[in-house]
Amino acid sequence: MSHDSATDLLVLHAVRILGYADAPAIAARYALDEALTQELLGDAEAYGWVTHTEFAGLGGWSLTDRGRTENERRLAAELDQVGGASEVGEVYRQFLPLNTRLQRACTHWQLRPTDTDPLAANDHSDSAWDAAVHAELAAIDLALRPLAQRLGDVLTRLRGYGSRFANARQRAVAGDGGWVDRTDVDSCHRVWFELHEDLIATLGLTRTAAAT
């Protein structure tokens, strides 16, 4: 049976996964009550785990180094409690080749090399080029589904990545190419980045170590 994480852990982890976000976005990440989320953010701030900053009239929360350590400590304890380290670790090993393919697909969506410019921007006038990217994203989507299911069977908070990626891909195929790689919508790239961050946080890795 999938394990439900404590609400205060979900709030702290949502800050980690989102990187920088306001309280409504943090609450929405795991469908939490917004008032309770705000209260728990205040508690986390008192412990020195999160900090609130404002820029150009916009405010958001981010983890401190101390908060990152606390988050990883609690994630490790949770994973040990449910005995899920082996399963999540195996999913991560199968995720890594897909990660390489996803990065390449996003690069191909953004760039269309020419004979004179290997870094030429993709103006999306080459339908065959873009179709190849969509085909690769479809293959990645198909491969991700069983991995996402396995993750969700271990921890409830790991659910949803497969359906979110599929939704983003379908919207891209329907004609809105921004759903491949935009950062201000729940695009393929954004969903994938969150999943990668979630996996390395859950397993206590770093992106540098994860790449080796």
Side-chain angles (χ1 to χ4, degrees):
M1 182 178 295
S2 184
H3 172 78
D4 294 331
S5 303
T7 303
D8 58 340
L9 173 58
L10 291 176
V11 170
L12 193 63
H13 192 55
V15 178
R16 165 77 182 263
I17 295 302
L18 296 175
Y20 179 80
D22 60 16
I26 293 167
R29 180 60 182 79
Y30 293 111
L32 304 175
D33 178 77
E34 191 173 322
L36 177 58
T37 297
Q38 187 68 62
E39 179 181 339
L40 291 172
L41 285 168
D43 292 343
E45 184 179 33
Y47 282 114
W49 297 338
V50 299
T51 184
H52 187 272
T53 55
E54 294 190 12
F55 179 75
L58 299 176
W61 295 90
S62 57
L63 280 189
T64 63
D65 288 343
R66 186 175 176 183
R68 186 182 181 92
T69 298
E70 175 64 14
N71 178 237
E72 291 178 354
R73 183 192 70 78
R74 294 195 60 184
L75 293 177
E78 178 183 60
L79 196 60
D80 182 64
Q81 175 188 346
V82 302
S86 177
E87 178 73 347
V88 176
E90 178 57 31
V91 168
Y92 180 68
R93 284 187 285 274
Q94 295 181 41
F95 165 86
L96 286 176
L98 294 177
N99 186 55
T100 300
R101 290 171 61 184
L102 187 282
Q103 291 176 340
R104 185 184 304 117
C106 286
T107 297
H108 287 175
W109 187 253
Q110 295 164 353
L111 302 177
R112 173 65 171 92
T114 66
D115 292 339
T116 58
D117 185 0
L119 298 178
N122 182 8
D123 63 6
H124 304 291
S125 61
D126 186 338
S127 59
W129 180 272
D130 283 2
V133 176
H134 282 304
E136 176 67 345
L137 290 174
I140 293 170
D141 183 359
L142 188 63
L144 174 63
R145 293 178 193 180
L147 299 183
Q149 179 65 48
R150 289 168 62 185
L151 291 173
D153 287 344
V154 177
L155 294 167
T156 304
R157 65 172 176 79
L158 291 173
R159 291 178 177 172
Y161 285 111
S163 59
R164 288 170 61 199
F165 187 89
N167 177 67
R169 189 184 67 79
Q170 290 163 6
R171 296 187 72 156
V173 170
D176 189 345
W179 283 82
V180 173
D181 62 350
R182 275 172 53 187
T183 59
D184 59 341
V185 297
D186 209 32
S187 66
C188 293
H189 181 270
R190 178 172 172 175
V191 172
W192 201 269
F193 183 91
E194 284 190 19
L195 173 56
H196 195 183
E197 186 70 15
D198 213 341
L199 286 170
I200 63 178
T202 300
L203 293 169
L205 305 173
T206 65
R207 284 190 180 265
T208 300
T212 60

